[in-house]
Amino acid sequence: MSELVPGGNLPLPGGAVSVRVPGPFDVSALVTDDGGKVRGDEDFVFYNQPAAPGARLRGDTLTVDPAGLRPGATRVTVAVSPADPGTALGRLPSPTLHVTDASGRPLARFTPPRSQRETVLLLAEIYRRGDRWKLRALGQGYADGLAGLARDFGVDVVDDPPASGPGAAAAGVPGTAAAGTPGAAAAGVPGARPDPSGGGARRAGLVTGPAAVPAGPHRAGPPTVTAAPSPVSPGGTPPDDGFLGLVNSARAAAGSPPVSLDARLVSAAREHAAAMAAHGRLGVESRDGVSVYQRVTGAGYAYLTIGEHLVSGPRTTAEFVAYCVRADSPRRTLGDPAFTHAGLARVHDAPSGETYWTAVWARPFTPGGLTDTAAAVTDLTNRERARAGLPPLAVDPLLTAAAQAHSADMVARAFYAHTAPDGSRPWDRAAAAGSTRRSIGENIACGQRSPAEVVEGWMNSPGHRANILKPGFTHIGIGFAGGGRAGTYWTQLFGG
């Protein structure tokens, strides 16, 4: 076995290799080509997207099969960040990278020099040189966290408003770690004293991912000019050239029911397309500080799930729909059977010659739908407990009320944290709802589109998983709210 130093190289054997980083760290990876930039959502592997072609993350171990990487991929960069948000790596033991081959035989180990203020560290890269694959030890740190790392690799990051308190999410970081998981720190209460356990999850978005959160539209055609704001045609062009027929034909081929146009979604799409054109920039949140999700709720459409396509380049609706069905990620959004309504708008920016498109897909909120969503999260959570040999959690109406209030509060007051702007924490909210349970824990998440996606994300994170699988918890409440900057906000509140 080789002991590597920064810059050291190691030829890799054929087949898959695994890299493991034990300890209080989150592992992530970015798949790039020779240019060093990600190409889409599928190139970012982390707790909430644990698999990409040729790469899979399970807990603290990333397995890479070079032969299975997407076409054009020549490099996989492995990064670690502290499990507790805002913690400098210098306060933790140095992470050690363990590399093994497909049979589990140790190949190499690398412990970088101790970090100081850095909060993210590039540990190593697996890269192709000619027809061979090698591993290089790195040890490069980022003091500005995952935001700095993300930008260097082509990820578009939208900064969050600052939060305060021990449960605050780190600002401007997609998937920031907390208590072993991307997001914000969670809390548990043995007796009446707070004891952190668990965390919050946030779905990350890449600059080329059309269904990503918080930012990340695919671009089709030539780049958009991003200079000073330029005039746009008033009101936008109505999408009256066969949009529904094209879309519902594609949905039928995927086995999904048809959608219908909703005037509120069309209005929100028109406002967002106009805002993007006015500022010469694609984005889930335009430069006026309003996200497409806020435009949807502002138009009077409350939803249970939502998706979007933000694109520039296509000249006609037929070209736009053809783009949406060409690649896997946008095709999944267009064909998602959960959606029942759609809205489409395009706005042409005459000076640049670009056309900005916004398509919004949604399912409306109903009380019964909210009940079904919460029940699905509870059922999926209890399935995970059953696999671990644990009894199921019973639904507690008081915990449910507190969890629902917190999700709605995060939307209403535009924050994402376990500590609310008024200083209240999970056990405070549970007590305010009337709960007398002695032990309280909380998981939060934002941006996930379904119960399956949010529970999978929590289970792929050590901190969230610890809450879900804590033997001392006996009851649960689920909260969900749509809107805000991230689109969806989820809360699991546990009691024992």
Side-chain angles (χ1 to χ4, degrees), residues 32-91:
T32 63
D33 53 23
D34 288 333
K37 302 295 183 182
V38 296
R39 191 174 69 177
D41 275 356
E42 292 78 7
D43 284 350
F44 191 20
V45 179
F46 68 118
Y47 84 99
N48 201 31
Q49 184 168 274
R56 175 171 293 275
L57 178 64
R58 293 181 181 232
D60 60 6
T61 302
L62 175 76
T63 300
V64 177
D65 180 7
L69 295 172
R70 64 159 173 84
T74 60
R75 193 177 307 268
V76 178
T77 304
V78 181
V80 295
S81 54
D84 190 22
T87 299
L89 286 165
R91 296 172 56 189

Side-chain angles (χ1 to χ4, degrees), residues 78-126:
V78 181
V80 295
S81 54
D84 190 22
T87 299
L89 286 165
R91 296 172 56 189
L92 302 174
S94 291
T96 297
L97 181 80
H98 300 264
V99 186
T100 57
D101 64 13
S103 65
R105 179 175 63 92
L107 297 175
R109 184 169 58 195
F110 171 56
T111 302
R114 191 172 184 83
S115 301
Q116 299 299 321
R117 296 177 54 252
E118 293 87 349
T119 54
V120 171
L121 188 68
L122 300 186
L123 269 184
E125 59 184 4
I126 296 169

